[in-house]
Amino acid sequence: MATIDASSIGEKTQAVINTFNRYVVPNYKRFPVCLVRGQGSRVWDAEGAEYLDLFPGWGCNLLGHCPEPIVRAVQEQVAKLIHVPNTWYTEPQGEWAKALSERSFGGQAFFCNSGTEANEAAIKLVRLRTDGKRYKIITFKGGFHGRTMGSVSATAQPKYHEGLGPMVAGFQYAPHGDLEAVEKLIDDHTGGILVEPILGEGGVVPAPEGFLQGLRRIADERDLLLVFDEVQCGCGRTGKWFGYQHFGVTPDVMTLAKSLCAGVAGGAMLTTVELARHLRPGMHAATFGGNPLAAAAGVAALEMIENENLLGHVDTAAAIFRERLEALKDRCDAVADVRVIGMMIGVELTIDGSAVVQACLEKNLLVNCTQGRVIRLLPAMNISAADVHEGCDKLSDAIIEVASRG
Ligand SMILES: *Cc1c(COP(=O)(O)O)cnc(C)c1O
């Protein structure tokens, strides 16, 4: 069983916790569980307990834990070339950029290592296009764009700004979905609009009907760059390669990370050939960006999704989640809303979500809570139907249990 109360923490786990307490900066709230091994949608802790993971790698482990084709690609690459600087050409980086371009809007890629870095590149591109004259970027309340100073300034949630001021200048926040507010904010210094097509951290909320289309129209009319942050919703998770493909609206710039390399660290900013030239040599860089290991993993992830028809499988697995969670909503007042966009799932509750996460952990089920009351699942694209059912059984029990405590 999962150990959750301090008196029952196993010896091995306690030793690791002691090391952390002494040597690791305490900037994360951690469960008292030490994970040591994973396979598919299963993960094991240092005491030997097994968990069903519906939130593998915080959305990074798109294909589950240790997917065989990714492991093999990285193993082969790591023995050939681990890293060389971007002053040289490498085969994997070119192949990776081509593969991403062909599955999106035909542009070019800048590679980095994380989501926040990808957004920093997008912010710089917006500013560089007009030599800094139009430096302002409109973003949305409830959005999340990362933790470096530019990206956190772009993030319109006060809790992420606390104690960090002053923020980077030039970001203006509009209510999510409000096109009129966007139009009102635009002035001669506005250069771009940055938005998640599906809010992730904000509670798994797809753009309302017509919103992205409206942003596209405004961007075209006012000569602004439309930037989509697909760090969480991109790369196949939703059943299409990219979130924007659900809405029929193409961005000028798109940022990717999290699941981009199926668990290996990697990020990218994609933009059109025309715009890419504004990132001139010397204007931006990431030392590890596009390194051969990340590139090999990134290419292998795209190939695995195609070889195993996982975009199609996502629709099948999503249908089961939707049916099971809708049924739960019908019989349980604690469930206010169910949002399933492929393997991006939000279960909005009327009760405290963290208590439900804790109850799930006691049932050896790993889930996440965001915005206080939204249980967020980002399951692996290749999750089995049996695991979906088991996960829904346990999550339903946990919600009903916590709700009945009153
Ligand atoms: C997680 C996330 C980021 C930040 O990514 P990091 O890799 O943690 O820097 C940015 N945007 C969105 C939408 C995210 O979900």
Side-chain angles (χ1 to χ4, degrees), residues 274-290:
E274 217 260 301
L275 289 168
R277 69 191 164 83
H278 294 290
L279 279 186
R280 305 183 296 279
M283 292 314 296
H284 195 51
T287 303
F288 271 122

Side-chain angles (χ1 to χ4, degrees), residues 176-382:
H176 188 236
D178 190 340
L179 293 171
E180 243 173 75
V182 171
E183 303 225 49
K184 279 199 196 120
L185 286 173
I186 297 172
D187 63 26
D188 292 345
H189 299 293
T190 308
I193 300 170
L194 168 62
V195 65
E196 290 166 84
I198 302 163
L199 298 181
E201 205 270 344
V204 189
V205 182
E209 182 89 30
F211 180 50
L212 298 180
Q213 288 84 347
L215 292 179
R216 181 71 270 175
R217 177 183 52 75
I218 292 169
D220 290 342
E221 285 171 6
R222 309 295 293 263
D223 187 30
L224 310 177
L225 294 193
L226 182 58
V227 184
F228 284 174
D229 179 342
E230 295 225 10
V231 170
Q232 193 159 149
C233 66
C235 301
R237 165 169 306 290
T238 64
K240 294 192 189 288
W241 282 120
F242 301 104
Y244 77 83
Q245 292 163 342
H246 289 275
F247 301 91
V249 176
T250 306
D252 303 303
V253 182
M254 174 166 68
T255 56
L256 304 170
K258 288 205 170 83
S259 49
L260 181 61
C261 306
V264 175
M269 181 205 67
L270 307 188
T271 188
T272 62
V273 175
E274 217 260 301
L275 289 168
R277 69 191 164 83
H278 294 290
L279 279 186
R280 305 183 296 279
M283 292 314 296
H284 195 51
T287 303
F288 271 122
N291 69 77
L293 288 192
V299 170
L302 297 171
E303 284 173 353
M304 178 173 165
I305 289 168
E306 273 163 359
N307 292 342
E308 302 189 12
N309 186 27
L310 294 180
L311 292 172
H313 178 74
V314 161
D315 292 338
T316 309
I320 305 173
F321 271 115
R322 196 173 295 115
E323 191 192 318
R324 292 290 314 264
L325 296 172
E326 288 288 351
L328 173 67
K329 178 173 167 247
D330 289 342
R331 70 191 158 91
C332 177
D333 289 341
V335 179
D337 195 21
V338 170
R339 298 184 284 273
V340 179
I341 310 106
M343 292 299 98
M344 201 170 170
I345 297 163
V347 182
E348 189 165 335
L349 306 175
T350 60
I351 55 174
D352 172 34
S354 60
V356 171
V357 172
Q358 192 65 31
C360 285
L361 179 58
E362 287 166 35
K363 299 177 192 306
N364 292 31
L365 176 71
L366 307 188
V367 303
N368 169 260
C369 170
T370 187
Q371 300 295 315
R373 287 174 185 264
V374 180
I375 298 300
R376 174 172 48 164
L377 313 178
L378 295 171
M381 287 180 76
N382 53 351

Side-chain angles (χ1 to χ4, degrees), residues 63 66-75 296-297 300-301 303-304 307-308:
L63 304 169
C66 301
E68 199 272 331
I70 312 300
V71 170
R72 187 158 24 88
V74 170
Q75 282 176 339
E303 284 173 353
M304 178 173 165
N307 292 342
E308 302 189 12

